[in-house]
Structures are given as C-alpha cells and as structure tokens.
Amino acid sequence: MKLPITIHQARLGSVEFKVIRPAQPLVHAVLADHDRHLDAYLDQDAARRIGGLWTLAASSPRSLVHLPMRGNRAPSRELPEDGMRQLDLVLLHHSLQFAPSHWKEVRGRLGPGRPQTVTLPDPGHTGEAMIDHEARHYRENRDLFHQHLHAETLFMTGSAKVFRETARHFLDVARNGPNYVPVHPSYPYFCTELHSNDGILGDAREIHIEYCDEWTHEPTDRTRRP
C-alpha cells in the first residue's frame, strides 16, 4: 500500500516535534464524541487511508500522526445529537511522552510540510489469525490504548503492537463496506469497533467505526469551526 503524506516540523522551546499528516484531506471522515463512546463515520477512501496512517503510527514512534477532520461535513444519514462534538485525531507512541496541553501551540506552528510517499506492508499479512487474543487479557498486558482530549483533538496513545494489530478494523471497513451496503437495504450499516472486551483499551473509550457511502454537500452547524 502506497500512502502519500506530508511531514512537518514544529519547534517548541528546545524541542522539535515531527508531525505526519495525510497529503490530501480526509474529506469523508467524521470522528464524533458522544461522551460515553466515540463514533467514526468513514467512506472507503478515508477508511483505507486511516488504516494506513494507523499502520504508519506503529512504525513511527518519534512522530505525531495528525488526522484533521473536525471541520468535515457529516454523512447524509442522521447522527445522534446528544452530547456530540466533532474531533481531530492524533496517533502517537507512548514512549514519546507528549503532553496534549502543548498540542494547540505545536499545531499552530505547522507549515505546509514536505510531501512524501511511504510504502506500507500488505494488509493481508497482519490479519486476525496472527493476534494472540488470550494474551491481551493477561494482567501484564501493556499493549493498550489510552486517550486524552485537548484542543478539540482526541489523542490515541499506544504501543507499536496495538496500533499494528488494530489497523485492520479500518481496512476491513474499506474492503467490505462498499459491497455490504447495497445488498442489505433493510440494515445498510457495515460496522466494526475497538471494544472494551477486546483487551486493547486501557484508559480509553470504545470507538465504533461505520462505513458511510452518502455525504452531505453543505456544512451543518455542528461542523463549523471558528
């Protein structure tokens, strides 16, 4: 899989941060905060590229992977309104020990970035059969996601292993969502999730991931940003 990205540098005091972004906007991607859980609504292209960026986060422990999407238009289907707000997403390795409180300042210092194309492993080589599900539930398991929320951004912090093993959720949506929806008109929702029973969530809420093939053409009030 070839993934076009841009690489950015931002200095904060004596520390320089490397930030990776998708080269083209993730137009049909929404991350919604519903207080008790999170929902990601994605089309095929967004799901495929987010799966790639998720995989890239596993091999980029010294970088912040930033997915801007909080200003995006919502899918055409009606979304739950209660407690909902849209968020950006940042993926980072726990060893980076980045303080989310610094993010707004770092984000404000990012320039246009340097374009680059990375080649990622074949998604077929990181399937369900290679995951040790039993080990995830051992008390000693440290390959867990932790979440922080700051500056309208969700920070997903984890190990290389947990990023690598969970990228398949997004790639599954990209691969199977478009074919599933047309042949299931009574329930046209192809979904997967990062679930609390999976042994991958530490201090983190569940994320429900849903394929959406129809999107609005005008911004709604909840997607406008100052």
Side-chain angles (χ1 to χ4, degrees), residues 94-133:
H94 56 72
S95 64
L96 192 57
Q97 297 185 329
F98 178 79
S101 59
H102 293 157
W103 173 241
K104 191 171 184 179
E105 193 170 356
V106 170
R107 184 176 62 194
R109 298 186 181 195
L110 298 177
R114 174 171 51 90
Q116 182 175 321
T117 299
V118 295
T119 301
L120 301 172
D122 180 354
H125 295 165
T126 55
E128 178 84 10
M130 300 180 67
I131 298 172
D132 188 345
H133 292 277

mmCIF file of all heavy atoms in Angstrom, residues 94-133:
data_model
loop_
_atom_site.group_PDB
_atom_site.id
_atom_site.type_symbol
_atom_site.label_atom_id
_atom_site.label_comp_id
_atom_site.label_asym_id
_atom_site.label_seq_id
_atom_site.Cartn_x
_atom_site.Cartn_y
_atom_site.Cartn_z
ATOM 1 N N HIS A 94 3.471 5.635 22.985
ATOM 2 C CA HIS A 94 3.531 6.051 24.393
ATOM 3 C C HIS A 94 4.924 6.511 24.809
ATOM 4 O O HIS A 94 5.071 7.346 25.706
ATOM 5 C CB HIS A 94 3.051 4.923 25.308
ATOM 6 C CG HIS A 94 3.786 3.630 25.143
ATOM 7 N ND1 HIS A 94 5.077 3.436 25.563
ATOM 8 C CD2 HIS A 94 3.395 2.450 24.586
ATOM 9 C CE1 HIS A 94 5.455 2.198 25.299
ATOM 10 N NE2 HIS A 94 4.449 1.584 24.694
ATOM 11 N N SER A 95 5.978 6.015 24.143
ATOM 12 C CA SER A 95 7.335 6.403 24.530
ATOM 13 C C SER A 95 7.648 7.856 24.212
ATOM 14 O O SER A 95 8.600 8.424 24.748
ATOM 15 C CB SER A 95 8.357 5.498 23.822
ATOM 16 O OG SER A 95 8.304 5.689 22.416
ATOM 17 N N LEU A 96 6.853 8.479 23.355
ATOM 18 C CA LEU A 96 7.080 9.885 23.011
ATOM 19 C C LEU A 96 6.789 10.802 24.194
ATOM 20 O O LEU A 96 7.368 11.883 24.313
ATOM 21 C CB LEU A 96 6.203 10.272 21.817
ATOM 22 C CG LEU A 96 6.497 11.601 21.120
ATOM 23 C CD1 LEU A 96 7.932 11.667 20.637
ATOM 24 C CD2 LEU A 96 5.531 11.820 19.959
ATOM 25 N N GLN A 97 5.884 10.385 25.069
ATOM 26 C CA GLN A 97 5.540 11.142 26.283
ATOM 27 C C GLN A 97 5.195 12.600 25.964
ATOM 28 O O GLN A 97 5.629 13.527 26.649
ATOM 29 C CB GLN A 97 6.672 11.063 27.313
ATOM 30 C CG GLN A 97 6.924 9.633 27.798
ATOM 31 C CD GLN A 97 7.964 9.561 28.894
ATOM 32 O OE1 GLN A 97 8.899 10.365 28.948
ATOM 33 N NE2 GLN A 97 7.813 8.602 29.778
ATOM 34 N N PHE A 98 4.388 12.771 24.924
ATOM 35 C CA PHE A 98 3.966 14.109 24.507
ATOM 36 C C PHE A 98 2.814 14.583 25.393
ATOM 37 O O PHE A 98 1.866 13.833 25.645
ATOM 38 C CB PHE A 98 3.521 14.081 23.055
ATOM 39 C CG PHE A 98 3.010 15.391 22.531
ATOM 40 C CD1 PHE A 98 3.889 16.393 22.156
ATOM 41 C CD2 PHE A 98 1.641 15.626 22.444
ATOM 42 C CE1 PHE A 98 3.423 17.608 21.677
ATOM 43 C CE2 PHE A 98 1.167 16.841 21.960
ATOM 44 C CZ PHE A 98 2.056 17.839 21.580
ATOM 45 N N ALA A 99 2.888 15.816 25.849
ATOM 46 C CA ALA A 99 1.818 16.394 26.673
ATOM 47 C C ALA A 99 0.765 17.018 25.766
ATOM 48 O O ALA A 99 1.062 17.971 25.035
ATOM 49 C CB ALA A 99 2.392 17.453 27.610
ATOM 50 N N PRO A 100 -0.477 16.523 25.769
ATOM 51 C CA PRO A 100 -1.520 17.094 24.907
ATOM 52 C C PRO A 100 -1.734 18.591 25.111
ATOM 53 O O PRO A 100 -2.179 19.272 24.190
ATOM 54 C CB PRO A 100 -2.765 16.289 25.310
ATOM 55 C CG PRO A 100 -2.228 14.972 25.758
ATOM 56 C CD PRO A 100 -0.950 15.309 26.471
ATOM 57 N N SER A 101 -1.396 19.103 26.291
ATOM 58 C CA SER A 101 -1.565 20.536 26.542
ATOM 59 C C SER A 101 -0.680 21.386 25.623
ATOM 60 O O SER A 101 -0.930 22.579 25.447
ATOM 61 C CB SER A 101 -1.247 20.857 28.008
ATOM 62 O OG SER A 101 0.086 20.472 28.323
ATOM 63 N N HIS A 102 0.344 20.782 25.016
ATOM 64 C CA HIS A 102 1.225 21.515 24.096
ATOM 65 C C HIS A 102 0.714 21.492 22.655
ATOM 66 O O HIS A 102 1.267 22.174 21.793
ATOM 67 C CB HIS A 102 2.633 20.900 24.100
ATOM 68 C CG HIS A 102 3.344 21.064 25.405
ATOM 69 N ND1 HIS A 102 4.377 20.221 25.803
ATOM 70 C CD2 HIS A 102 3.179 21.955 26.414
ATOM 71 C CE1 HIS A 102 4.814 20.593 26.981
ATOM 72 N NE2 HIS A 102 4.106 21.649 27.376
ATOM 73 N N TRP A 103 -0.336 20.693 22.406
ATOM 74 C CA TRP A 103 -0.732 20.445 21.032
ATOM 75 C C TRP A 103 -1.186 21.698 20.293
ATOM 76 O O TRP A 103 -0.818 21.917 19.135
ATOM 77 C CB TRP A 103 -1.822 19.385 20.974
ATOM 78 C CG TRP A 103 -2.385 19.194 19.598
ATOM 79 C CD1 TRP A 103 -3.672 19.388 19.196
ATOM 80 C CD2 TRP A 103 -1.674 18.784 18.421
ATOM 81 N NE1 TRP A 103 -3.825 19.125 17.860
ATOM 82 C CE2 TRP A 103 -2.597 18.754 17.357
ATOM 83 C CE3 TRP A 103 -0.344 18.451 18.163
ATOM 84 C CZ2 TRP A 103 -2.240 18.401 16.061
ATOM 85 C CZ3 TRP A 103 0.016 18.099 16.867
ATOM 86 C CH2 TRP A 103 -0.922 18.072 15.840
ATOM 87 N N LYS A 104 -1.980 22.537 20.931
ATOM 88 C CA LYS A 104 -2.522 23.701 20.231
ATOM 89 C C LYS A 104 -1.391 24.593 19.725
ATOM 90 O O LYS A 104 -1.449 25.117 18.603
ATOM 91 C CB LYS A 104 -3.456 24.482 21.142
ATOM 92 C CG LYS A 104 -4.270 25.540 20.415
ATOM 93 C CD LYS A 104 -5.341 26.123 21.322
ATOM 94 C CE LYS A 104 -6.212 27.115 20.570
ATOM 95 N NZ LYS A 104 -7.279 27.672 21.440
ATOM 96 N N GLU A 105 -0.345 24.741 20.534
ATOM 97 C CA GLU A 105 0.782 25.572 20.123
ATOM 98 C C GLU A 105 1.583 24.894 19.013
ATOM 99 O O GLU A 105 1.999 25.546 18.045
ATOM 100 C CB GLU A 105 1.683 25.855 21.326
ATOM 101 C CG GLU A 105 2.701 26.949 21.073
ATOM 102 C CD GLU A 105 3.410 27.387 22.333
ATOM 103 O OE1 GLU A 105 3.054 26.890 23.429
ATOM 104 O OE2 GLU A 105 4.328 28.213 22.228
ATOM 105 N N VAL A 106 1.801 23.597 19.126
ATOM 106 C CA VAL A 106 2.509 22.861 18.075
ATOM 107 C C VAL A 106 1.733 22.929 16.765
ATOM 108 O O VAL A 106 2.291 23.214 15.692
ATOM 109 C CB VAL A 106 2.726 21.384 18.490
ATOM 110 C CG1 VAL A 106 3.229 20.554 17.308
ATOM 111 C CG2 VAL A 106 3.708 21.301 19.653
ATOM 112 N N ARG A 107 0.433 22.685 16.841
ATOM 113 C CA ARG A 107 -0.419 22.713 15.642
ATOM 114 C C ARG A 107 -0.358 24.066 14.948
ATOM 115 O O ARG A 107 -0.335 24.146 13.710
ATOM 116 C CB ARG A 107 -1.865 22.385 16.043
ATOM 117 C CG ARG A 107 -2.850 22.287 14.888
ATOM 118 C CD ARG A 107 -4.215 21.859 15.409
ATOM 119 N NE ARG A 107 -4.773 22.826 16.333
ATOM 120 C CZ ARG A 107 -5.818 22.583 17.142
ATOM 121 N NH1 ARG A 107 -6.400 21.401 17.133
ATOM 122 N NH2 ARG A 107 -6.265 23.519 17.952
ATOM 123 N N GLY A 108 -0.307 25.140 15.732
ATOM 124 C CA GLY A 108 -0.272 26.482 15.162
ATOM 125 C C GLY A 108 1.036 26.819 14.474
ATOM 126 O O GLY A 108 1.100 27.806 13.730
ATOM 127 N N ARG A 109 2.075 26.021 14.693
ATOM 128 C CA ARG A 109 3.384 26.303 14.103
ATOM 129 C C ARG A 109 3.696 25.422 12.893
ATOM 130 O O ARG A 109 4.796 25.489 12.357
ATOM 131 C CB ARG A 109 4.469 26.118 15.167
ATOM 132 C CG ARG A 109 4.310 27.086 16.333
ATOM 133 C CD ARG A 109 5.461 26.987 17.303
ATOM 134 N NE ARG A 109 5.256 27.921 18.419
ATOM 135 C CZ ARG A 109 6.206 28.291 19.275
ATOM 136 N NH1 ARG A 109 7.423 27.793 19.135
ATOM 137 N NH2 ARG A 109 5.937 29.127 20.250
ATOM 138 N N LEU A 110 2.741 24.605 12.481
ATOM 139 C CA LEU A 110 2.989 23.694 11.366
ATOM 140 C C LEU A 110 2.840 24.415 10.029
ATOM 141 O O LEU A 110 1.856 25.100 9.789
ATOM 142 C CB LEU A 110 2.014 22.515 11.419
ATOM 143 C CG LEU A 110 2.102 21.631 12.664
ATOM 144 C CD1 LEU A 110 1.030 20.555 12.613
ATOM 145 C CD2 LEU A 110 3.493 21.018 12.808
ATOM 146 N N GLY A 111 3.827 24.251 9.178
ATOM 147 C CA GLY A 111 3.769 24.833 7.843
ATOM 148 C C GLY A 111 3.139 23.861 6.858
ATOM 149 O O GLY A 111 2.482 22.895 7.254
ATOM 150 N N PRO A 112 3.341 24.084 5.560
ATOM 151 C CA PRO A 112 2.729 23.221 4.539
ATOM 152 C C PRO A 112 3.286 21.806 4.519
ATOM 153 O O PRO A 112 2.655 20.885 4.017
ATOM 154 C CB PRO A 112 3.038 23.952 3.228
ATOM 155 C CG PRO A 112 4.213 24.813 3.538
ATOM 156 C CD PRO A 112 4.081 25.206 4.967
ATOM 157 N N GLY A 113 4.479 21.602 5.045
ATOM 158 C CA GLY A 113 5.035 20.260 5.118
ATOM 159 C C GLY A 113 5.744 19.819 3.857
ATOM 160 O O GLY A 113 5.625 20.432 2.791
ATOM 161 N N ARG A 114 6.488 18.735 3.972
ATOM 162 C CA ARG A 114 7.256 18.163 2.865
ATOM 163 C C ARG A 114 6.549 16.910 2.374
ATOM 164 O O ARG A 114 6.337 15.965 3.152
ATOM 165 C CB ARG A 114 8.668 17.828 3.350
ATOM 166 C CG ARG A 114 9.530 17.100 2.357
ATOM 167 C CD ARG A 114 10.977 17.029 2.859
ATOM 168 N NE ARG A 114 11.059 16.521 4.215
ATOM 169 C CZ ARG A 114 11.183 15.231 4.525
ATOM 170 N NH1 ARG A 114 11.192 14.307 3.561
ATOM 171 N NH2 ARG A 114 11.288 14.851 5.771
ATOM 172 N N PRO A 115 6.152 16.848 1.105
ATOM 173 C CA PRO A 115 5.439 15.671 0.602
ATOM 174 C C PRO A 115 6.338 14.438 0.520
ATOM 175 O O PRO A 115 7.524 14.545 0.207
ATOM 176 C CB PRO A 115 4.957 16.105 -0.783
ATOM 177 C CG PRO A 115 5.854 17.214 -1.171
ATOM 178 C CD PRO A 115 6.294 17.896 0.080
ATOM 179 N N GLN A 116 5.759 13.304 0.805
ATOM 180 C CA GLN A 116 6.485 12.038 0.731
ATOM 181 C C GLN A 116 5.472 10.915 0.533
ATOM 182 O O GLN A 116 4.322 11.020 0.969
ATOM 183 C CB GLN A 116 7.287 11.804 2.019
ATOM 184 C CG GLN A 116 8.125 10.541 2.022
ATOM 185 C CD GLN A 116 8.983 10.426 3.277
ATOM 186 O OE1 GLN A 116 9.517 11.422 3.757
ATOM 187 N NE2 GLN A 116 9.088 9.235 3.819
ATOM 188 N N THR A 117 5.879 9.849 -0.107
ATOM 189 C CA THR A 117 5.032 8.669 -0.250
ATOM 190 C C THR A 117 5.700 7.506 0.466
ATOM 191 O O THR A 117 6.873 7.209 0.216
ATOM 192 C CB THR A 117 4.800 8.311 -1.725
ATOM 193 O OG1 THR A 117 4.129 9.395 -2.371
ATOM 194 C CG2 THR A 117 3.947 7.055 -1.851
ATOM 195 N N VAL A 118 4.979 6.876 1.390
ATOM 196 C CA VAL A 118 5.522 5.736 2.127
ATOM 197 C C VAL A 118 4.856 4.456 1.618
ATOM 198 O O VAL A 118 3.696 4.463 1.211
ATOM 199 C CB VAL A 118 5.311 5.889 3.644
ATOM 200 C CG1 VAL A 118 6.098 7.060 4.171
ATOM 201 C CG2 VAL A 118 3.841 6.048 3.985
ATOM 202 N N THR A 119 5.613 3.373 1.637
ATOM 203 C CA THR A 119 5.096 2.069 1.253
ATOM 204 C C THR A 119 4.876 1.238 2.510
ATOM 205 O O THR A 119 5.820 1.021 3.287
ATOM 206 C CB THR A 119 6.068 1.339 0.302
ATOM 207 O OG1 THR A 119 6.267 2.153 -0.860
ATOM 208 C CG2 THR A 119 5.507 -0.006 -0.121
ATOM 209 N N LEU A 120 3.648 0.815 2.727
ATOM 210 C CA LEU A 120 3.279 0.076 3.924
ATOM 211 C C LEU A 120 3.151 -1.405 3.616
ATOM 212 O O LEU A 120 2.929 -1.793 2.463
ATOM 213 C CB LEU A 120 1.959 0.612 4.482
ATOM 214 C CG LEU A 120 1.971 2.090 4.845
ATOM 215 C CD1 LEU A 120 0.570 2.567 5.200
ATOM 216 C CD2 LEU A 120 2.913 2.353 6.018
ATOM 217 N N PRO A 121 3.272 -2.263 4.642
ATOM 218 C CA PRO A 121 3.151 -3.708 4.409
ATOM 219 C C PRO A 121 1.788 -4.075 3.846
ATOM 220 O O PRO A 121 0.794 -3.372 4.062
ATOM 221 C CB PRO A 121 3.342 -4.307 5.812
ATOM 222 C CG PRO A 121 3.958 -3.231 6.624
ATOM 223 C CD PRO A 121 3.534 -1.930 6.041
ATOM 224 N N ASP A 122 1.725 -5.176 3.149
ATOM 225 C CA ASP A 122 0.471 -5.710 2.641
ATOM 226 C C ASP A 122 -0.462 -5.976 3.812
ATOM 227 O O ASP A 122 -0.109 -6.723 4.725
ATOM 228 C CB ASP A 122 0.757 -7.019 1.885
ATOM 229 C CG ASP A 122 -0.504 -7.656 1.322
ATOM 230 O OD1 ASP A 122 -1.608 -7.154 1.599
ATOM 231 O OD2 ASP A 122 -0.374 -8.665 0.592
ATOM 232 N N PRO A 123 -1.669 -5.371 3.854
ATOM 233 C CA PRO A 123 -2.590 -5.573 4.972
ATOM 234 C C PRO A 123 -2.924 -7.041 5.211
ATOM 235 O O PRO A 123 -3.237 -7.436 6.328
ATOM 236 C CB PRO A 123 -3.847 -4.801 4.542
ATOM 237 C CG PRO A 123 -3.373 -3.819 3.533
ATOM 238 C CD PRO A 123 -2.220 -4.468 2.840
ATOM 239 N N GLY A 124 -2.835 -7.864 4.182
ATOM 240 C CA GLY A 124 -3.154 -9.271 4.334
ATOM 241 C C GLY A 124 -2.208 -10.016 5.259
ATOM 242 O O GLY A 124 -2.512 -11.106 5.733
ATOM 243 N N HIS A 125 -1.038 -9.422 5.540
ATOM 244 C CA HIS A 125 -0.045 -10.079 6.392
ATOM 245 C C HIS A 125 -0.258 -9.793 7.873
ATOM 246 O O HIS A 125 0.489 -10.285 8.703
ATOM 247 C CB HIS A 125 1.368 -9.629 5.994
ATOM 248 C CG HIS A 125 1.736 -10.082 4.610
ATOM 249 N ND1 HIS A 125 2.809 -9.552 3.912
ATOM 250 C CD2 HIS A 125 1.184 -11.009 3.778
ATOM 251 C CE1 HIS A 125 2.898 -10.134 2.727
ATOM 252 N NE2 HIS A 125 1.925 -11.016 2.626
ATOM 253 N N THR A 126 -1.231 -8.978 8.223
ATOM 254 C CA THR A 126 -1.469 -8.636 9.633
ATOM 255 C C THR A 126 -2.916 -8.927 9.985
ATOM 256 O O THR A 126 -3.632 -8.076 10.484
ATOM 257 C CB THR A 126 -1.146 -7.153 9.898
ATOM 258 O OG1 THR A 126 -1.904 -6.342 8.985
ATOM 259 C CG2 THR A 126 0.330 -6.870 9.717
ATOM 260 N N GLY A 127 -3.361 -10.137 9.717
ATOM 261 C CA GLY A 127 -4.757 -10.489 9.919
ATOM 262 C C GLY A 127 -5.078 -10.970 11.307
ATOM 263 O O GLY A 127 -4.229 -11.087 12.199
ATOM 264 N N GLU A 128 -6.361 -11.309 11.484
ATOM 265 C CA GLU A 128 -6.905 -11.751 12.762
ATOM 266 C C GLU A 128 -6.177 -12.975 13.301
ATOM 267 O O GLU A 128 -5.939 -13.090 14.503
ATOM 268 C CB GLU A 128 -8.392 -12.068 12.556
ATOM 269 C CG GLU A 128 -9.117 -12.594 13.781
ATOM 270 C CD GLU A 128 -9.605 -11.488 14.695
ATOM 271 O OE1 GLU A 128 -9.544 -10.307 14.293
ATOM 272 O OE2 GLU A 128 -10.020 -11.812 15.820
ATOM 273 N N ALA A 129 -5.809 -13.900 12.434
ATOM 274 C CA ALA A 129 -5.217 -15.160 12.879
ATOM 275 C C ALA A 129 -3.863 -14.968 13.568
ATOM 276 O O ALA A 129 -3.429 -15.834 14.334
ATOM 277 C CB ALA A 129 -5.054 -16.100 11.682
ATOM 278 N N MET A 130 -3.199 -13.839 13.315
ATOM 279 C CA MET A 130 -1.870 -13.617 13.886
ATOM 280 C C MET A 130 -1.924 -12.944 15.256
ATOM 281 O O MET A 130 -0.890 -12.728 15.877
ATOM 282 C CB MET A 130 -1.039 -12.761 12.919
ATOM 283 C CG MET A 130 -0.832 -13.396 11.555
ATOM 284 S SD MET A 130 0.148 -12.354 10.450
ATOM 285 C CE MET A 130 1.729 -12.385 11.281
ATOM 286 N N ILE A 131 -3.103 -12.621 15.742
ATOM 287 C CA ILE A 131 -3.252 -11.903 17.003
ATOM 288 C C ILE A 131 -3.451 -12.891 18.146
ATOM 289 O O ILE A 131 -4.281 -13.798 18.062
ATOM 290 C CB ILE A 131 -4.439 -10.931 16.938
ATOM 291 C CG1 ILE A 131 -4.211 -9.879 15.842
ATOM 292 C CG2 ILE A 131 -4.651 -10.248 18.276
ATOM 293 C CD1 ILE A 131 -5.408 -9.006 15.572
ATOM 294 N N ASP A 132 -2.703 -12.722 19.214
ATOM 295 C CA ASP A 132 -2.856 -13.555 20.413
ATOM 296 C C ASP A 132 -3.909 -12.904 21.309
ATOM 297 O O ASP A 132 -3.595 -12.081 22.172
ATOM 298 C CB ASP A 132 -1.511 -13.672 21.138
ATOM 299 C CG ASP A 132 -1.549 -14.669 22.290
ATOM 300 O OD1 ASP A 132 -2.665 -15.043 22.709
ATOM 301 O OD2 ASP A 132 -0.473 -15.065 22.772
ATOM 302 N N HIS A 133 -5.170 -13.269 21.100
ATOM 303 C CA HIS A 133 -6.262 -12.634 21.839
ATOM 304 C C HIS A 133 -6.210 -12.968 23.331
ATOM 305 O O HIS A 133 -6.571 -12.143 24.169
ATOM 306 C CB HIS A 133 -7.605 -13.062 21.240
ATOM 307 C CG HIS A 133 -7.843 -12.528 19.856
ATOM 308 N ND1 HIS A 133 -8.333 -11.257 19.639
ATOM 309 C CD2 HIS A 133 -7.619 -13.066 18.632
ATOM 310 C CE1 HIS A 133 -8.425 -11.049 18.328
ATOM 311 N NE2 HIS A 133 -7.995 -12.130 17.701
#
